[in-house]
Structures are given as C-alpha cells and as structure tokens.
Amino acid sequence: MKVQDHYKKFDLTNKVAIITGASEGIGRDMAVGLAEAGADIILCSRREEKLLEVKEIIENTGRKAEVYAFDIQNVSEIEGLKAFLKARTDNVDILINNAGYAVTKPAWDVSENDWDSMVDTGFKGLFFCCQAVGSIMRDNGYGKIINLSSTFSKSVVPGRSVYAGIKAGIDHLTEALAMEWAPHGIRVNALAPTAVNTPSRKVTLQGPILEKVLARIPLGRLATPEDLIGAIIYLSSEASDFVTGQTLFVDGGWVAAS
Ligand SMILES: NC(=O)c1ccc[n+]([C@@H]2O[C@H](COP(=O)([O-])OP(=O)(O)OC[C@H]3O[C@@H](n4cnc5c(N)ncnc54)[C@H](OP(=O)(O)O)[C@@H]3O)[C@@H](O)[C@H]2O)c1
C-alpha cells in the first residue's frame, strides 16, 4: 500500500458523526475538528442557541451540520434522536459520547440529586445513546463509537468519587459493548483525557489545585482540546478499524506516573 493510501484512511469525507455535549468545551472543539477532517456533524446538547453557533462554524468549513437539542438524561429524548437521524440519513458512521456532568465534593456530602445528575448524564445517557445510534450502525454493518472517559477511570483524587466510578464504568462498558457488537462491525473505544483547559475547567483549575494537577502530569501542562483531535480522528476513521474495546489515554503521562 502506498503512503498516501495510509493517509487516506484518516479521511472522514462524507462520514456522518454525532457528538453529544457539542455546545461547549471538548465536544465543541471535537465537532469542528471532525468537520475539518471531512465529516458532516449532528450536534447534540440541551442549549440549542449554543449548538447553532457551532453549526455556523462548521458550515463555514464547507461541511454540513444539524442540531438536535435534547436532555440526555431523558431516554425518550434519546429515542427522538434516533427518529431524527433516520429521517435524515441512511448512514451514521460515528458517535462521540461526550456529554458529561461532574460535581466535586467529599463523598460524605454527595446528595441523591448529585448522584442522579452525574449518573443519568454521564453513564445512563451514554449507554442509551450507544443503544439508539448503535442500532442504526448495526443495520449498516459498520460504525465507530467513542466514549469520553478520563484519567479518573484509573486513578483517583478526593472529591471525585462518583465521577471516577462513572468513568471506570465507561471503560468497562466500552469493552463489553465492543465484544457484543463486533459481529455487527461496530467498534467501541474510549478516549481518556487528563485535565483539559476548557471554559468549565478554568473555573476550578486555579492556584494550588492547578499546581497539584500539573505536578501529576509528566509532560508538565494541561491538555488542550486540540490535543484530543488527532486521537478522535484516529478512533473515528478507518485507520483504527482493527481497534475495539480500548481506552486511549491522552494524558501527558498521568496514568503511567500514578
Ligand atoms: N475538561 C476536562 O478536564 C475533562 C477531562 C477528562 C474527561 N473529560 C470528559 O470530557 C467530556 C466533556 O468535558 P468538558 O469539560 O468539555 O465538559 P463541559 O465543558 O462541562 O461541557 C459539557 C457538555 O455536555 C452537555 N451536557 C451536560 N448535561 C447535559 C444533558 N443533561 N443533556 C445533554 N447535554 C448535556 C453540555 O451542553 P448543554 O449545557 O448545552 O446541555 C456541554 O456541551 C465529559 O464527558 C468529561 O467528563 C473532561
């Protein structure tokens, strides 16, 4: 095979990608990155007005984008996403399960509402998105699902017990779905970043907390959303067709050093 044929395997032209949590942070940047790699994008989260801003950015890259506003905690709204997709496209190639919600507080103080918000967004919602979009992929015999995990799936800090449990669960769920759905051509992987410098994290990652985090990252800096784009293109593309059930850590060495 020629070198340019290897490069072509990373090309996402005419692929259709769905990204949850696309209104801001990592999801927003990944949506634009996948569009720049050639994909048409379905943008999902609750705030339609923010998704419409991202849609405009993507359309300026020459790709198509559509918006589906939903609350991922509500399974009937996820079923609505499936109907929305079926009405628009025959092929759904890529699902990025990125929407998440984190509460940072001592385990003693976690309320039932904190638990439900984190689990229903980051774990239950993620599973039912896999199920809804995965069933379309099954009919096509091909698909790529990428679940957003975290370094906290393999390491812990005080105040993130439930979040860490969800992310560890995501890595294991990823393996289980990869095994179950491999016969249908669906590859399921997870992407696990360390702390990423997004607007929501800028509020918490300051002063002594920032210093502690940086001390745990051998490469000596926070991740940027751009650090994740190469990995997400790889996992979304034919270049990773023989990879399934894996969690790819993009963490500056955090887990290796833990
Ligand atoms: N940032 C980090 O340091 C870091 C590190 C490791 C892993 N991660 C993981 O990466 C993912 C994105 O993180 P981020 O920092 O970019 O998060 P973020 O800035 O807080 O954005 C979260 C996204 O999820 C959407 N969302 C939240 N609740 C939702 C709901 N009920 N229904 C639908 N959408 C909902 C939000 O959109 P709406 O408000 O419009 O609904 C938003 O687009 C998460 O899974 C997170 O755990 C982040």
Side-chain angles (χ1 to χ4, degrees):
M1 194 184 276
K2 291 184 194 145
V3 172
Q4 53 269 45
D5 291 332
H6 288 296
Y7 280 127
K8 263 190 218 153
K9 289 190 160 195
F10 290 89
D11 183 11
L12 300 181
T13 302
N14 296 328
K15 304 269 187 195
V16 175
I18 300 154
I19 307 189
T20 69
S23 59
E24 68 179 349
I26 295 171
R28 178 187 170 112
D29 287 26
M30 285 195 304
V32 177
L34 289 180
E36 285 168 348
D40 296 328
I41 313 287
I42 316 282
L43 302 155
C44 308
S45 83
R46 289 164 302 185
R47 287 172 297 162
E48 189 169 18
E49 71 288 356
K50 300 292 280 181
L51 296 174
L52 289 169
E53 286 172 25
V54 188
K55 174 177 156 71
E56 195 179 334
I57 296 168
I58 288 173
E59 286 172 344
N60 287 337
T61 71
R63 303 310 315 177
K64 290 186 212 140
E66 292 209 54
V67 162
Y68 179 79
F70 77 152
D71 185 338
I72 202 170
Q73 295 189 25
N74 188 333
V75 175
S76 69
E77 294 184 30
I78 296 175
E79 282 159 6
L81 169 64
K82 185 173 167 182
F84 176 91
L85 294 169
K86 286 214 152 203
R88 275 159 187 80
T89 175
D90 292 331
N91 64 315
V92 175
D93 306 282
I94 301 156
L95 167 65
I96 316 286
N97 271 312
N98 166 78
Y101 176 69
V103 170
T104 304
K105 56 169 75 161
W108 303 118
D109 300 335
V110 171
S111 66
E112 185 179 2
N113 187 46
D114 294 332
W115 170 276
D116 287 345
S117 300
M118 284 190 274
V119 173
D120 289 358
T121 305
F123 200 50
K124 185 178 101 174
L126 177 145
F127 173 80
F128 283 102
C129 282
C130 288
Q131 189 191 64
V133 179
S135 69
I136 301 175
M137 293 172 169
R138 177 189 56 194
D139 294 344
N140 292 326
Y142 185 83
K144 301 276 191 169
I145 297 178
I146 298 120
N147 297 322
L148 261 289
S149 176
S150 160
T151 43
F152 293 144
S153 69
K154 282 269 189 294
S155 66
V156 288
V157 291
R160 281 293 180 99
S161 55
V162 179
Y163 182 80
I166 290 168
K167 295 303 187 184
I170 287 175
D171 290 1
H172 208 48
L173 178 68
T174 295
E175 292 178 326
L177 294 179
M179 197 196 86
E180 201 169 315
W181 292 351
H184 305 293
I186 304 171
R187 284 77 169 168
V188 189
N189 291 292
L191 179 70
T194 186
V196 187
N197 212 352
T198 56
S200 70
R201 296 301 194 274
K202 269 189 187 128
V203 181
T204 44
L205 289 170
Q206 291 190 19
I209 295 177
L210 177 60
E211 278 168 32
K212 267 192 193 168
V213 170
L214 289 176
R216 286 184 71 167
I217 302 175
L219 286 178
R221 65 169 175 82
L222 299 179
T224 64
E226 295 77 51
D227 288 318
L228 307 179
I229 293 188
I232 209 80
I233 290 173
Y234 169 66
L235 291 175
S236 298
S237 72
E238 289 171 23
S240 62
D241 268 359
F242 203 53
V243 179
T244 196
Q246 297 299 309
T247 297
L248 175 57
F249 286 85
V250 180
D251 67 349
W254 173 301
V255 166
S258 286

